[in-house]
Amino acid sequence: MKQSATPEIVKTVSVSLLGGFALEVDGASLTDDINRSLKLWSVLAYLTLHRERAVPQSEFIELFWPDDHSSNPVNALKTLLYRIRAMLEPLFGQEIQPILSQRGAYIWNPAVGCTLDIDRFEELCRLGGDTQRTAEERMTSYREAVELYKGDLLPKLSHQMWLVPMAVRYHTAYIAAVKDFAVLLDEAALYEEMHEVCARASDLDNLDEGLHTLIVRALLRQGKDAAALEHYEKATDLLYRNLGVRPSEELRSLYKEIMATEKTLETDLGVIMNDLREAAARPGAFVCEYGFFKEAYRLEVRRAIRSGTCVHLCLITVSLPDGGMPQLKVLSNTMDQLLDVLVNNLRRGDVVSKFSGAQYVIMLPAANYEDSNMVMDRVVRAFYQQHRRSFLKLTVRVRELELN
């Protein structure tokens, strides 16, 4: 039997799904900002995403009324479809029905064309990743793709299990596109745009270390050393708090590059002294990133060899009573509390750094073994006095620096 010809398109609707649901027809629009039930938007989105086939009633009921045994889910579905059609009528008019009934199923009207932003986004990502095209052509495609990605897929429906794999797919494609685009921008010396693109992506996925690395690099290439260092410190702290991991070698190498960046020539020693001066009122121990701690360690060893004084290294570990690792949220709060106690109970010449997600390393210059143990005992007592409800265990190790 000869198949029927493809129906003539009588109306076309532009559908946006990235960052929110919106439909636009002939300049008129409808968005999920209006007060409608999430189930209504879910059914409409499902029909739109599966517009090339008829969706059986049973499929809708299984997805959106899985536990509805007391009422009549078929009638509930029919009522919901009636409401959807009424909501769409101002866009399409009474003559065009965008949703058709078909033998116990519902289908998007084939005569109503749909252009979806996700389809355009995927095509742009494909073009951007085509290494046979010029760098400029690839950047143009990536630039349009990242601008089109206004947010993750249907964020108001993100709790729906059927949507999760699709949302992850487009989110992953977006992050990959941003990273590839950033490399091209880096090679083209477009560092400001590189920073803007990566910072926007990081707002959506702030635990992606690769994005933080690109942001630090973009700031560094612009000569914004202070901003690069500030972002590095915030990023590493965020990764410690949420993932319990230390920065990668690539990110740490950027830190070294920041610290090694040469300053412009300055002939006024007073300006240099003012730049180096630490606020005199700042109390307590000196807290620094671990990379700086290692340099301070080397300097202190040299000073101790020359003066004959001793320096002790201390490691304080937070754990469960049985030695296990606490949950990240509990650990993060405790590490913040412990840092406050360390700063307030150590001398200004003592140096503190986070060694891991559950450990601080402390350097105590000009202190013997007994004094060092007394200092750390005082820290532990102060912590438990201030946080009596804490059930976590603090373990302290003290060792004299080897000066050989």
Side-chain angles (χ1 to χ4, degrees):
M1 181 181 293
K2 185 178 179 179
Q3 293 184 348
S4 60
T6 303
E8 180 183 355
I9 301 297
V10 297
K11 188 76 72 173
T12 299
V13 55
S14 297
V15 182
S16 298
L17 303 168
L18 297 170
F21 198 4
L23 297 92
E24 183 176 345
V25 181
D26 298 334
S29 62
L30 175 70
T31 73
D32 61 2
D33 290 333
I34 66 173
N35 189 17
R36 294 287 192 275
S37 72
L38 290 180
K39 190 168 291 186
L40 181 148
W41 291 112
S42 300
V43 170
L44 179 56
Y46 196 83
L47 270 170
T48 305
L49 288 165
H50 298 84
R51 63 195 178 282
E52 296 179 353
R53 68 179 180 90
V55 182
Q57 289 181 345
S58 58
E59 188 172 329
F60 280 119
I61 292 170
E62 183 178 349
L63 283 172
F64 303 112
W65 288 271
D67 303 317
D68 198 341
H69 304 298
S70 57
S71 60
N72 189 331
V74 174
N75 283 341
L77 175 61
K78 290 180 179 178
T79 300
L80 194 64
L81 264 297
Y82 174 82
R83 292 172 56 198
I84 291 174
R85 286 171 173 143
M87 183 177 69
L88 296 178
E89 186 174 314
L91 291 181
F92 296 94
Q94 296 181 347
E95 298 79 13
I96 301 175
Q97 287 291 335
I99 300 172
L100 304 177
S101 301
Q102 190 181 85
R103 297 179 183 177
Y106 296 95
I107 186 171
W108 186 267
N109 189 344
V112 178
C114 278
T115 60
L116 271 61
D117 59 346
I118 54 175
D119 294 339
R120 178 62 178 162
F121 171 75
E122 285 191 306
E123 174 63 11
L124 289 168
C125 288
R126 185 191 67 78
L127 292 171
D130 185 356
T131 56
Q132 299 302 312
R133 304 171 76 223
T134 66
E136 188 61 38
E137 290 172 334
R138 294 177 63 197
M139 285 194 293
T140 298
S141 296
Y142 274 140
R143 188 173 288 115
E144 186 178 344
V146 299
E147 288 176 357
L148 187 60
Y149 199 93
K150 295 179 172 57
D152 288 334
L153 185 72
L154 297 170
K156 292 184 179 180
L157 306 180
S158 60
H159 63 288
Q160 308 244 353
M161 293 304 297
W162 67 270
L163 194 63
V164 171
M166 296 181 67
V168 170
R169 169 187 163 189
Y170 291 111
H171 178 92
T172 302
Y174 168 66
I175 297 300
V178 166
K179 291 179 179 178
D180 202 15
F181 184 27
V183 172
L184 294 171
L185 292 171
D186 191 6
E187 293 171 351
L190 298 173
Y191 304 125
E192 186 174 353
E193 184 178 5
M194 176 183 173
H195 173 253
E196 291 174 356
V197 168
C198 294
R200 180 171 172 266
S202 186
D203 287 340
L204 286 176
D205 194 342
N206 65 359
L207 295 181
D208 189 302
E209 185 177 1
L211 291 175
H212 290 299
T213 301
L214 290 166
I215 291 170
V216 172
R217 180 178 291 120
L219 290 169
L220 191 57
R221 297 295 179 265
Q222 293 179 75
K224 299 179 179 179
D225 301 346
L229 180 59
E230 181 182 6
H231 189 88
Y232 172 85
E233 291 173 344
K234 288 181 178 178
T236 52
D237 185 61
L238 184 69
L239 294 170
Y240 271 132
R241 289 170 179 268
N242 291 277
L243 302 178
V245 299
R246 298 174 62 192
S248 64
E249 285 301 318
E250 184 179 9
L251 187 54
R252 193 174 288 276
S253 68
L254 286 174
Y255 171 79
K256 293 178 181 178
E257 187 176 341
I258 295 170
M259 302 307 290
T261 300
E262 293 185 8
K263 292 186 176 291
T264 56
L265 291 176
E266 176 59 65
T267 57
D268 187 343
L269 186 58
V271 173
I272 296 175
M273 292 176 64
N274 187 61
D275 184 51
L276 295 173
R277 184 179 296 117
E278 183 183 21
R282 186 175 179 180
F286 177 73
V287 181
C288 62
E289 193 271 346
Y290 187 66
F292 184 87
F293 184 92
K294 290 195 292 185
E295 300 304 318
Y297 170 91
R298 295 188 180 100
L299 178 62
E300 202 59 50
V301 166
R302 293 185 177 207
R303 184 180 292 117
I305 291 174
R306 180 178 179 181
S307 64
T309 59
C310 58
V311 180
H312 283 80
L313 201 65
C314 309
L315 183 69
I316 186 164
T317 303
V318 178
S319 67
L320 295 171
D322 62 1
M325 179 69 74
Q327 293 183 350
L328 285 176
K329 183 177 181 180
V330 176
L331 178 61
S332 177
N333 292 336
T334 303
M335 290 295 282
D336 287 343
Q337 296 165 355
L338 179 55
L339 182 60
D340 288 339
V341 172
L342 286 167
V343 169
N344 293 326
N345 286 272
L346 296 177
R347 301 166 301 179
R348 295 185 66 187
D350 300 332
V351 186
V352 178
S353 178
K354 184 178 283 186
F355 181 71
S356 74
Q359 294 175 303
Y360 285 111
V361 62
I362 303 103
M363 184 162 52
L364 303 177
N368 59 36
Y369 183 76
E370 291 75 16
D371 289 341
S372 297
N373 277 284
M374 288 175 59
V375 168
M376 296 312 297
D377 287 343
R378 183 174 70 241
V379 167
V380 173
R381 285 197 306 271
F383 175 82
Y384 285 120
Q385 286 173 0
Q386 295 178 30
H387 307 284
R388 297 180 184 276
R389 295 183 179 180
S390 178
F391 61 91
L392 298 181
K393 176 183 177 183
L394 299 184
T395 304
V396 176
R397 298 286 183 269
V398 178
R399 183 172 178 178
E400 185 175 354
L401 293 191
E402 297 178 359
L403 304 182
N404 296 330

